[in-house]
Amino acid sequence: MSLEKYRWDLVNCERCSMCKWVHPWSIKSKERARICPSMQKYKYDAYSAQGRFDLARALLEGEVEMTDKAAEVIYACTLCGGCDVTCKFTRDMEPIEILQELRALAVAKGKGPLPGHMPAVDSIRQNNNPWLQPRSRRGHWARKMKVKDLSKEKAEVLYFAGCTYSYNANMQEVARSTLGILLNAGIDVGILGANEACCASPVLKVGMVDMFREHAAKNIELFNSLGVKTVVTSCAGCYGVLRSQYPGVGKMNFEVKHSSEYLAELIQEGKLKFTKEIPMKVTWHDPCHLGRGSEPQDLWEGVRVKWGLSEPPRERNYGAQGVFDAPRNVLKAIPGIELMEMERIREFSWCCGAGGGVRSAFPEFALETARERIEEAESTGAEALVTSCPWCESNLGDSINAIGSPLQMLSLVDLVNRAL
Amino acid sequence: MADTVLAKVDYLKPLEDKPYDQVVSERQQYFALLKARLEEILGPEHVCTDPAALDALSRDKSLEEAGRPSFILRPENLEKLCALVKYANEVSLPLTPMSSGTHTCGNALVSMGGAAVDMSGWQQIQKIDHRNRSVRLQPGVTYGQLQEALAKENLRALFPLLPRKDQSVLTSNLEAQPKLIPEFNYSEPFYTMEIVMPLGDIFRTGTAALGPPELNQSDMVGPWGPGFDWNRLYTRSQGTLGIITWMNMMAEPLPCRQKLFFTASENLETLVDFTYRIQRKWLGYECFILNRTALALMLAQRMPEDYERLKKRLPAYVQIFCIGGLRRLPDERIAWQEADFLETARECGLAPQPTLSQAPRAAAFFEQNLLRCWDGEVYWKDRLKGASSDIFFITTMNRASQFVDAMQKETIKGSAPTNDMGIYLQPIENGRVCHLEFMLPYDPAARDDCTGMRKLHCSASRRMKDLGALFTRAYGPWAEMTASSSAVQFQTAKMVKDVLDPKNIMNPGKLGL
Amino acid sequence: MGLPQGAYQALADALGAENICDDPAVTSGYSYMWLIYSTHAQSGRYRPAAVVLPRSTQDVQTIIKIANRYKFNYIPVGTNLLPPTIPARADTIIIDPKRMDSIVEIDTQNMYAVVEPYVTYAQLQAEAMKHGLTITIAEAGAQVSVVANNMFQGMGGTGHKFGYNRGVLGCDWVLPNGDLLHIGSRGNAGADWFWGDCAGMNLKGLLRADSGHCGGMGMVTRMSVKLFPYPGPQTFPVKGANPNFEVNFPKDRFMLNLIKFPDRKKLIEAIYEVGHAEIAAAVHEEPATMVLSGASPSVEYFWEKYPDFMKQWRNVLSVTLIGFSSARQVAYEKKVLDAIVAELGGTYIEEGSELWSIGQDNIGEQIRTGLSNRLFRIAGDFFVIGGFGFDSIDQSYKMSEDYMWPLIEQGQKKGHFVPDDTHNDWLNSYQLGHYSETEPLIYFEHDLEAGASFINSYAQTVVEAVKRRMCTTWPLGPMNYISGPTMCNYHELVLKIKKAVDPRLTSNPDYPVPQEPPKG
């Protein structure tokens, strides 16, 4: 792949600016009209998909060079995919692929990843996790649980905890609760413990495509070898990359489900019953990688022919087929919970600000973006902001603390667990 | 005594050190030269220097200072008008254009000498285009004349409130006089114009720029451009940017049926609230509010007895509202609007009636007069004392009461009879704003009355302005009052004027320019 | 070549270093517009020397004064949609108003809103709808700047009822000499926003003509715009998911009618009759390409459907009735419309039919433009051959048939434009049919020959119009030298006034009219 593949997109962008906004028909207020956190923070057009298209075209044409500033423009983006949704409503273009391609180019030119990304990248290379933690401790979160180790035995379902839920002491409870619920529901589930490896989403996001593919291939091989039917994860980041990117790396003999989907199915099948009421108003934050970012990408290879038609025709992902209903169905099923929706939801969700390597390289940008989401959540009248993504929880949680918001930051499974 | 000294620009060596009688003599010679040349251009019969005629034009119905022209020029046609303007540039002769009619605001008074260009003879209605609902007319066309012609085509002009018989339609629109129907978003009801520019060139606005009417293949109803929005720029320019020779303006379908309602209240705010509501619903055609004085001045058959009687009986304020039915399903059109109108009135606790019980003549009067000029000998505003000094401006309806209170205080301070102050509130564009007008009667023959009124007019205008009244017409003292509050606006206007009229011959002194 | 020495520092000192940038990685984002690219056959050369982000009117005044002092050019932009806002000279900066994005005020009683340049129509309308108010939204899309669009175009939507080009009230306008001109009631004692007229000559007339000056006359930093009654839900009623949304207005107050007429002349008659009857809120001839593109989630979908659709969707008039007062209004207007349609041999496209399902979102489009940028989908680029010229409905039709479509057909024969034999335009009625504008839409690829074909055809429409003394299309920049000499030499007056307020010609110098006629 190279930017050349997207030349048609780059020269055909007519700077209509749809990429900067929620689709006009879905705008409900002046304050919640934007879709692009990068644009909101940095103001210059260069920090939108349109501007980055222009930069990509200029790089392709040799009009500008890949400089430190160009790399900053390229990386100061959460890769949330909001632009991809709104652009595609109008045009047949692939903003998110182009943004990722730009990062690959930055890496190729020696300008990426940024210094702020390197600890995580190096750690993934050395420790198979971005958190500078030893591989051997990866399975400790479940050491007190009686669960199959799929390195040794077989099960139908692999619960893939992901790096953050495995290592972050404040978040391990999410993994434990989810696994506990699955076990209690009688699901034949196991984990990989110390043999679980990073999904490699962080390296993909910073443009290290080869490293990502290497890791992804190993994971696919491993999962295939386990003979599991389903891989379940609570991490939206892992889920997004497993759903959207892994199919491009290798054949997967298993399906991937997010824990919210799995929980919703269990509720529907009557395998999960709530016994306690939780009188609480909550609002749901759609993580980008669970929602619009989780649609499988079409591995289209072809050309644009007369009138811009794709040859062969390609399927496009519009961002609306992600996991949106399942978590809402889970929340609605919990007695006493009142779901208050924010204005920007589902495919138009406002990013938490942590993605795309932003939290490590541009922490201030990450927090400002989160603050906007917190304010949006507060305006619903909700008492708690619920999500199911360790990056979102962490970044939104930090922002809640920073601004002294009365909102509680909750993980979906916390509420489920409390109501059982 | 020598003739009135021509404007600042046509003094002949005024400061030369020579005997005064020589100066006078040279001036007389120069005047004779000018006259001869003007007669050559326009024809002798179209150059008037008759002192009585000049005197007649030196005053108008306003309290403005007199300004006597040296000539009254009546160009016969476009060609001669252009030649006149070109010559005026050569000799720096100020030209003050005037259309037909009784001038009431001082805008047609000659401020800085020169010639009055009398366009009242230009009385042609050049074209009525029923299909495009447009009418092209010259400056001397009056409302009465226009409506008579339009009615034959089942059209109507947007009418101001009971205009004078000799009111020029073109001037009324150019000055943006408010119209009785607030329904339309037509604060600029003209499409295109032909202008003789200050340098004597012909300019046409909008699609009329494509050529003179006889060659132009458009319908000349494209109002914008070319280049700038000249129509807007020329609005209220009071002849300072050229002389308009025709205007193509909007006409509207003539209703085949209409139904009037009168809604009375002792409280202006109640009617304002009601008016906001019905305007927001986009209901009806004519809609305006009068106070009892204004209404009595209109309805009184004999003055002053009817007037006094009516004033005692009439409610403080009355909203007059008219629904019209057009060619297609007229009765149904009236029916749905009536139902909605009355429903809204009920919500406001009001009870519109088909006439005023206190003045049963009201129904017939307005039925007949919404599309007519005032046909009495004395204009309705002047019936009480012979003249009326009007203060009017744009504001929002919710502030009307505040202005009324302040105005009443001003009249008390000015020792004018508050009870005889007429009030006219005309909603504009669905009540987005309104034209608020106060009519202060005075006796033009009584010197003290005039002096007092001039003083009151100034102080009250200033008070209104301080309260946020938007004076959109730079007449008399209002010109200075408004120019001083926005120096950049004034300076930019001057810049435009200098570009278009480098010799400053077009109505110099107006708008403070 | 960048800015004159010292200029960058002066701007940085005035605005803060973070609010100016001249790095090519950033300025590239303001450098590319294919139409410019196709005209000049190279890009990159036109990157702005810097981009500045003012926060206030005062900032804008400072920028413009610095530009005058150091003699460099600037282009003020809004949401930056159109070609003239791409620099065509090296020493040009872009004034990007992204930090000027407030809705300063909405006066719900007196129906106006005050906005800064980076407020979009969708944002403003979303807030206005909460108060039962709306605004006509241009076909450029609801994502464009209210201020910039009001200064530039603004066609479309509910202009049949609400009018066109009369929406601007009070303004704060920084002239190219750096002076702050208050328009309308802004110049009043209370610096109010409620009205656009002032005493004396109305300088609002310099703000634009039928279309705007493309940043050639300074920058409006705040604008009060008219709002209009709106009897619908407080939130724009949309259902569905990307890319298939549907709008769902209450039918008793909002009624879309899609009417097929036997020929285009009958359709034109119908617009006249609707106008004379003073019914409807939005009236547009809707061409097949536009309607189908609006319903197309992809270019492939469009081209699969188009050949058959083009045969079926001909001479279709879209008439939206809105019950501003009550459902009674809609019921009455429908009866009148029925009579007109029957007299002229029209037939309603039936609700539920396939054609209806493709055209049904037209009502949403008329109230909040959300589909129009899909026109780019058809071939990569589109524009109008002609358009932006205003005269009667008859004139729109005649312009279209006499010289626009023949030019389109030439382009089609060469394979430059998408085939279309309907001769249907996006033809609009304004102010109850008092005047009109037509836009024959053409679609072409980013191919230099097709681009040249488009530009030449567009310029040719101006030539043909003045030759026939018919309404011209929008003469962009140098094209004013084609139309000016036959239209009272207006271009000379425009240039003189521009020079008076912009003596150093620093404000997008080639607009509204370049100093010199184009060579050749």
Side-chain angles (χ1 to χ4, degrees):
Chain A
M1 288 210 301
S2 77
L3 277 178
E4 189 59 44
K5 178 180 165 185
Y6 301 100
R7 179 180 282 276
W8 190 93
D9 302 32
L10 301 178
V11 301
N12 276 276
C13 170
E14 287 287 355
R15 60 181 315 129
C16 71
S17 287
M18 294 288 272
C19 58
K20 296 163 186 163
W21 306 95
V22 170
H23 183 264
W25 287 358
S26 295
I27 288 175
K28 296 179 180 70
S29 73
K30 190 259 172 188
E31 291 307 323
R32 315 275 176 239
R34 293 169 198 269
I35 193 84
C36 175
S38 183
M39 194 72 258
Q40 172 75 336
K41 164 72 179 165
Y42 295 98
K43 310 297 182 197
Y44 295 106
D45 274 351
Y47 293 86
S48 66
Q50 165 257 309
R52 292 185 176 104
F53 272 37
D54 287 344
L55 176 59
R57 190 202 54 77
L59 286 164
L60 202 58
E61 301 286 355
E63 292 164 13
V64 296
E65 289 178 4
M66 180 63 81
T67 58
D68 289 347
K69 183 67 180 176
E72 185 230 285
V73 168
I74 290 166
Y75 282 106
C77 161
T78 59
L79 291 180
C80 72
C83 57
D84 199 70
V85 170
T86 51
C87 174
K88 280 194 188 130
F89 176 83
T90 303
R91 304 299 309 267
D92 301 283
M93 296 177 175
E94 295 295 339
I96 200 76
E97 289 182 16
I98 290 168
L99 298 182
Q100 287 187 326
E101 202 57 48
L102 270 170
R103 293 180 178 212
L105 183 67
V107 170
K109 297 278 184 186
K111 293 291 180 186
L114 299 180
H117 299 137
M118 289 318 292
V121 171
D122 290 341
S123 177
I124 290 171
R125 194 177 278 130
Q126 287 161 23
N127 308 315
N128 238 326
N129 70 73
W131 300 118
L132 288 78
Q133 298 293 316
R135 292 179 193 220
S136 55
R137 295 180 63 85
R138 188 166 186 118
H140 278 208
W141 63 272
R143 64 187 182 277
K144 290 183 183 166
M145 298 180 78
K146 197 175 172 189
V147 58
K148 286 180 180 176
D149 179 352
L150 297 193
S151 311
K152 298 171 188 161
E153 24 185 348
K154 296 281 180 195
E156 281 197 5
V157 174
L158 164 66
Y159 179 70
F160 184 84
C163 303
T164 312
Y165 287 138
S166 295
Y167 287 111
N168 186 324
N170 295 327
M171 293 186 167
Q172 285 170 340
E173 192 52 40
V174 171
R176 278 194 289 270
S177 297
T178 310
L179 184 60
I181 290 167
L182 298 185
L183 289 168
N184 286 340
I187 307 300
D188 179 18
V189 60
I191 59 172
L192 279 168
N195 291 321
E196 186 182 286
C198 178
C199 70
S201 170
V203 292
L204 175 67
K205 301 297 181 199
V206 298
M208 304 187 73
V209 181
D210 292 341
M211 186 175 164
F212 164 74
R213 292 180 71 84
E214 192 186 315
H215 275 69
K218 280 184 192 164
N219 273 334
I220 292 169
E221 195 185 337
L222 174 64
F223 298 163
N224 283 343
S225 73
L226 300 178
V228 293
K229 283 185 186 166
T230 308
V231 174
V232 176
T233 180
S234 301
C235 172
C238 299
Y239 176 79
V241 80
L242 286 166
R243 280 287 307 274
S244 70
Q245 301 295 327
Y246 272 40
V249 176
K251 187 169 182 328
M252 294 156 66
N253 298 329
F254 50 89
E255 63 174 344
V256 180
K257 283 192 175 163
H258 186 256
S259 55
S260 61
E261 291 177 287
Y262 214 89
L263 292 174
E265 282 173 19
L266 292 177
I267 292 167
Q268 200 176 10
E269 289 163 8
K271 293 179 182 168
L272 196 60
K273 291 201 168 106
F274 297 111
T275 57
K276 296 177 195 147
E277 189 170 317
I278 305 178
M280 186 186 275
K281 290 178 179 171
V282 304
T283 188
W284 171 254
H285 167 75
D286 289 296
C288 303
H289 301 301
L290 179 61
R292 60 188 166 223
S294 71
E295 282 185 41
Q297 288 191 3
D298 183 7
L299 305 171
W300 179 80
E301 287 295 338
V303 288
R304 303 298 283 265
V305 294
K306 186 78 176 166
W307 310 129
L309 287 157
S310 301
E311 185 58 48
R314 80 170 284 177
E315 290 294 314
R316 294 189 186 271
N317 46 348
Y318 295 95
Q321 304 306 315
V323 179
F324 298 115
D325 292 324
R328 287 176 170 80
N329 290 341
V330 172
L331 286 170
K332 285 175 194 165
I334 299 173
I337 290 285
E338 190 180 344
L339 178 61
M340 320 288 287
E341 290 284 15
M342 289 186 273
E343 285 187 20
R344 289 173 292 191
I345 55 170
R346 303 175 76 91
E347 66 264 47
F348 297 125
S349 177
W350 179 253
C351 175
C352 75
V358 161
R359 192 168 150 88
S360 46
F362 305 93
E364 193 187 328
F365 169 29
L367 272 182
E368 278 185 32
T369 305
R371 188 181 308 141
E372 177 159 340
R373 192 56 162 172
I374 300 303
E375 285 165 5
E376 186 173 355
E378 282 175 352
S379 71
T380 64
E383 299 155 69
L385 174 58
V386 187
T387 192
S388 187
C389 168
W391 299 88
C392 297
E393 282 172 52
S394 171
N395 206 46
L396 294 170
D398 286 354
S399 184
I400 285 173
N401 293 335
I403 63 176
S405 168
L407 279 175
Q408 295 177 56
M409 184 72 238
L410 296 176
S411 181
L412 178 69
V413 77
D414 290 345
L415 282 172
V416 172
N417 222 13
R418 281 197 229 168
L420 290 173
Chain B
M1 189 184 149
D3 283 289
T4 301
V5 174
L6 297 174
K8 57 172 185 180
V9 283
D10 59 341
Y11 272 105
L12 271 188
K13 304 172 186 168
L15 299 174
E16 282 185 26
D17 184 14
K18 57 176 83 166
Y20 180 69
D21 55 354
Q22 190 185 338
V23 172
V24 170
S25 155
E26 283 180 8
R27 197 174 293 150
Q28 282 172 338
Q29 282 171 27
Y30 180 64
F31 181 78
L33 184 80
L34 277 181
K35 185 168 184 253
R37 183 72 185 109
L38 289 168
E39 286 177 346
E40 203 176 300
I41 294 167
L42 301 174
E45 69 277 27
H46 300 301
V47 178
C48 169
T49 50
D50 169 34
L54 297 176
D55 284 345
L57 278 190
S58 70
R59 281 198 173 281
D60 67 1
K61 297 281 289 180
S62 73
L63 288 161
E64 287 308 297
E65 296 292 336
R68 191 171 186 270
S70 300
F71 305 95
I72 301 171
L73 308 175
R74 298 189 177 94
E76 275 180 297
N77 56 37
L78 184 61
E79 198 186 345
K80 289 188 178 176
L81 178 59
C82 291
L84 166 65
V85 175
K86 282 179 181 159
Y87 176 66
N89 270 279
E90 279 175 34
V91 294
S92 298
L93 174 69
L95 301 175
T96 299
M98 51 189 66
S99 56
S100 66
T102 311
H103 301 290
T104 57
C105 307
N107 55 329
L109 285 179
V110 173
S111 305
M112 302 181 80
V117 183
D118 178 5
M119 302 292 286
S120 62
W122 293 47
Q123 289 178 322
Q124 274 181 26
I125 295 173
Q126 296 175 324
K127 186 178 179 186
I128 296 176
D129 178 352
H130 177 268
R131 188 169 170 83
N132 290 306
R133 283 168 286 165
S134 70
V135 54
R136 193 169 75 237
L137 46 81
Q138 293 185 322
V141 172
T142 59
Y143 272 104
Q145 182 193 351
L146 174 63
Q147 189 49 43
E148 193 184 337
L150 285 177
K152 291 177 191 155
E153 298 281 338
N154 280 321
L155 292 172
R156 65 165 161 178
L158 290 173
F159 251 66
L161 177 64
L162 292 171
R164 293 175 193 269
K165 269 185 283 193
D166 54 1
Q167 164 82 64
S168 157
V169 177
L170 186 145
T171 305
S172 166
N173 284 291
L174 206 59
E175 287 295 295
Q177 197 179 6
K179 306 298 186 291
L180 296 177
I181 302 181
E183 181 203 8
F184 301 116
N185 178 25
Y186 298 165
S187 48
E188 301 131 1
F190 42 101
Y191 290 119
T192 50
M193 303 189 286
E194 181 177 78
I195 307 162
V196 175
M197 298 295 274
L199 290 173
D201 307 320
I202 298 169
F203 191 82
R204 298 182 192 88
T205 66
T207 42
L210 287 152
E214 60 276 16
L215 298 177
N216 197 317
Q217 295 302 303
S218 78
D219 286 312
M220 300 201 298
V221 295
W224 323 116
F228 287 130
D229 186 349
W230 304 99
N231 287 352
R232 227 171 239 155
L233 187 70
Y234 273 72
T235 305
R236 304 184 192 85
S237 63
Q238 294 186 23
T240 57
L241 298 179
I243 301 173
I244 293 162
T245 56
W246 56 251
M247 175 186 279
N248 198 25
M249 55 175 281
M250 291 175 188
E252 301 301 338
L254 180 68
C256 54
R257 313 227 206 309
Q258 63 181 28
K259 193 159 187 180
L260 274 162
F261 293 92
F262 296 83
T263 310
S265 176
E266 291 305 308
N267 185 340
L268 179 59
E269 283 178 3
T270 305
L271 286 187
V272 160
D273 175 52
F274 179 43
T275 305
Y276 267 122
R277 290 187 195 211
I278 56 174
Q279 288 302 320
R280 183 68 71 99
K281 293 183 173 193
W282 225 301
L283 288 169
Y285 283 131
E286 289 87 347
C287 178
F288 53 98
I289 297 170
L290 297 171
N291 76 340
R292 59 163 67 93
T293 302
L295 204 49
L297 284 170
M298 290 173 190
L299 296 178
Q301 286 173 299
R302 286 160 305 162
M303 289 293 285
E305 54 271 40
D306 280 358
Y307 169 76
E308 293 301 341
R309 185 176 49 80
L310 280 166
K311 268 193 67 185
K312 280 182 196 139
R313 294 168 57 181
L314 284 170
Y317 295 97
V318 177
Q319 182 215 60
I320 295 149
F321 178 76
C322 181
I323 301 171
L326 298 178
R327 182 172 76 85
R328 294 180 186 274
L329 308 177
D331 294 327
E332 288 186 47
R333 190 172 200 270
I334 288 175
W336 80 257
Q337 293 207 17
E338 181 178 355
D340 286 6
F341 172 70
L342 293 176
E343 211 168 271
T344 313
R346 276 194 295 278
E347 285 164 18
C348 296
L350 291 166
Q353 301 297 324
T355 189
L356 282 170
S357 57
Q358 305 87 338
R361 181 171 174 254
F365 177 84
F366 284 105
E367 183 77 35
Q368 290 160 14
N369 282 299
L370 290 176
L371 282 180
R372 282 173 70 175
C373 301
W374 179 259
D375 63 359
E377 209 163 292
V378 180
Y379 190 55
W380 64 273
K381 289 182 182 177
D382 303 337
R383 294 181 84 192
L384 194 60
K385 289 189 163 184
S388 166
S389 181
D390 304 334
I391 295 177
F392 49 88
F393 47 83
I394 301 285
T395 183
T396 50
M397 286 201 291
N398 54 333
R399 300 174 71 182
S401 293
Q402 187 193 347
F403 286 111
V404 170
D405 291 347
M407 195 67 201
Q408 278 165 348
K409 283 180 192 150
E410 287 296 313
T411 55
I412 292 163
K413 268 201 281 181
S415 308
T418 303
N419 282 343
D420 287 329
M421 179 172 75
I423 300 174
Y424 164 44
L425 185 154
Q426 177 60 62
I428 295 173
E429 288 189 13
N430 300 80
R432 187 187 305 290
V433 289
C434 69
H435 163 98
L436 185 59
E437 180 167 337
F438 299 100
M439 293 155 256
L440 302 162
Y442 70 97
D443 179 358
R447 196 186 169 111
D448 287 354
D449 216 11
C450 286
T451 310
M453 185 51 69
R454 192 174 283 126
K455 210 172 145 193
L456 172 61
H457 189 275
C458 277
S459 64
S461 296
R462 199 158 284 283
R463 176 75 184 125
M464 296 296 106
K465 179 181 172 280
D466 291 345
L467 284 173
L470 175 64
F471 285 85
T472 55
R473 292 191 247 167
Y475 300 147
W478 295 349
E480 184 52 35
M481 193 173 80
T482 50
S484 60
S485 70
S486 182
V488 175
Q489 203 172 51
F490 177 74
Q491 179 193 315
T492 311
K494 180 79 175 73
M495 222 181 268
V496 173
K497 167 85 168 161
D498 288 347
V499 167
L500 299 179
D501 184 11
K503 292 273 183 82
N504 195 22
I505 62 152
M506 294 308 308
N507 211 358
K510 292 296 183 329
L511 313 177
L513 297 170
Chain C
M1 194 178 106
L3 292 172
Q5 200 178 2
Y8 187 93
Q9 195 54 49
L11 289 165
D13 289 346
L15 303 172
E18 68 281 18
N19 294 314
I20 176 167
C21 187
D22 63 353
D23 194 291
V26 169
T27 56
S28 287
Y30 299 82
S31 69
Y32 181 74
M33 164 63 67
W34 190 78
L35 282 176
I36 291 281
Y37 183 87
S38 76
T39 315
H40 300 288
Q42 60 176 308
S43 60
R45 183 174 152 192
Y46 303 111
R47 263 198 318 262
V51 181
V52 292
L53 303 171
R55 176 69 199 95
S56 64
T57 301
Q58 241 182 344
D59 282 355
V60 172
Q61 280 185 281
T62 305
I63 293 162
I64 289 179
K65 283 177 179 169
I66 291 173
N68 276 293
R69 179 179 159 206
Y70 286 91
K71 296 185 193 166
F72 60 85
N73 307 313
Y74 57 88
I75 304 177
V77 303
T79 35
N80 208 356
L81 176 68
L82 284 171
T85 57
I86 301 297
R89 300 172 186 217
D91 58 345
T92 303
I93 66 162
I94 298 287
I95 305 178
D96 184 340
K98 293 230 177 50
R99 297 200 301 147
M100 301 177 73
D101 64 347
S102 300
I103 296 178
V104 180
E105 179 189 352
I106 295 182
D107 185 327
T108 57
Q109 189 170 27
N110 298 304
M111 299 193 292
Y112 66 83
V114 183
V115 289
E116 292 188 320
Y118 205 69
V119 173
T120 68
Y121 275 116
Q123 287 180 298
L124 175 57
Q125 194 192 49
E127 295 301 326
M129 280 179 165
K130 294 174 185 170
H131 306 284
L133 294 167
T134 185
I135 185 168
T136 275
I137 295 184
E139 205 56 18
Q143 83 288 3
V144 306
S145 155
V146 176
V147 169
N149 188 259
N150 268 283
M151 290 179 68
F152 189 62
Q153 299 181 335
M155 290 85 76
T158 38
H160 173 76
K161 183 75 174 174
F162 299 159
Y164 170 76
N165 192 5
R166 302 193 196 268
V168 179
L169 298 169
C171 293
D172 285 354
W173 178 5
V174 181
L175 294 173
N177 58 15
D179 283 346
L180 176 58
L181 174 63
H182 293 301
I183 290 289
S185 51
R186 279 297 280 166
N188 206 25
D192 296 307
W193 291 104
F194 60 81
W195 201 231
D197 298 340
C198 57
M201 72 178 77
N202 193 341
L203 296 171
K204 199 169 69 169
L206 302 182
L207 207 60
R208 59 174 284 181
D210 45 2
S211 51
H213 306 320
C214 310
M217 292 290 285
M219 179 170 182
V220 169
T221 54
R222 284 186 173 191
M223 179 184 277
S224 169
V225 290
K226 293 177 186 175
L227 300 175
F228 297 89
Y230 161 73
Q234 290 190 355
T235 301
F236 190 86
V238 64
K239 288 191 308 188
N242 197 36
N244 298 309
F245 295 111
E246 273 180 32
V247 291
N248 187 26
F249 281 96
K251 289 195 173 170
D252 61 337
R253 298 295 278 271
F254 294 81
M255 181 190 282
L256 174 70
N257 299 274
L258 299 170
I259 312 152
K260 271 177 94 165
F261 287 95
D263 55 50
R264 206 173 169 210
K265 282 189 175 164
K266 289 277 195 307
L267 178 149
I268 296 294
E269 290 305 312
I271 303 177
Y272 270 107
E273 289 300 322
V274 165
H276 279 245
E278 294 184 354
I279 60 166
V283 179
H284 306 274
E285 179 187 29
E286 296 283 348
T289 48
M290 191 171 185
V291 171
L292 183 58
S293 73
S296 295
S298 69
V299 59
E300 287 81 15
Y301 178 97
F302 176 87
W303 282 97
E304 187 192 324
K305 296 267 180 190
Y306 182 53
D308 186 46
F309 188 76
M310 180 169 50
K311 288 180 199 149
Q312 293 183 52
W313 188 279
R314 281 170 184 261
N315 307 317
V316 175
L317 184 67
S318 165
V319 178
T320 295
L321 310 178
I322 297 182
F324 291 98
S325 182
S326 69
R328 294 181 189 114
Q329 181 179 359
V330 175
Y332 163 78
E333 293 192 1
K334 181 64 166 57
K335 274 189 184 178
V336 172
L337 185 64
D338 286 348
I340 293 169
V341 170
E343 281 167 26
L344 293 168
T347 49
Y348 289 102
I349 291 174
E350 274 182 45
E351 246 185 280
S353 66
E354 196 189 342
L355 285 186
W356 175 268
S357 69
I358 291 174
Q360 66 180 343
D361 282 339
N362 206 255
I363 190 166
E365 190 68 353
Q366 286 163 2
I367 292 167
R368 185 181 291 179
T369 317
L371 302 173
S372 62
N373 285 294
R374 282 184 168 183
L375 291 168
F376 288 117
R377 177 161 267 157
I378 296 174
D381 208 342
F382 90 96
F383 211 78
V384 291
I385 285 290
F388 320 131
F390 292 80
D391 200 74
S392 66
I393 300 160
D394 279 341
Q395 182 79 177
S396 286
Y397 173 73
K398 206 164 170 334
M399 289 155 75
S400 163
E401 293 293 337
D402 282 11
Y403 60 85
M404 292 176 179
W405 274 93
L407 285 166
I408 292 174
E409 281 162 355
Q410 282 176 26
Q412 288 178 349
K413 271 183 203 151
K414 290 179 197 159
H416 293 153
F417 305 153
V418 162
D420 181 354
D421 64 1
T422 63
H423 282 224
N424 289 145
D425 302 341
W426 187 58
L427 186 150
N428 309 301
S429 161
Y430 293 100
Q431 291 192 199
L432 300 177
H434 272 290
Y435 55 92
S436 162
E437 182 249 357
T438 196
E439 298 193 5
L441 299 161
I442 55 152
Y443 309 86
F444 49 97
E445 292 185 279
H446 283 187
D447 159 271
L448 290 178
E449 270 188 37
S453 192
F454 156 66
I455 297 276
N456 292 335
S457 302
Y458 187 97
Q460 192 61 26
T461 61
V462 183
V463 174
E464 296 293 331
V466 294
K467 195 164 79 188
R468 293 168 162 82
R469 289 185 187 268
M470 286 169 65
C471 179
T472 67
T473 55
W474 171 41
L476 173 62
M479 292 178 206
N480 285 288
Y481 284 93
I482 305 172
S483 49
T486 44
M487 295 177 76
C488 306
N489 287 316
Y490 74 87
H491 61 305
E492 291 175 3
L493 293 180
V494 169
L495 200 52
K496 278 185 192 168
I497 291 176
K498 154 113 175 152
K499 283 179 178 169
V501 294
D502 187 9
R504 291 195 169 178
L505 296 176
T506 52
S507 185
N508 207 5
D510 290 337
Y511 295 93
V513 177
Q515 275 199 86
E516 302 291 334
K519 294 191 178 80

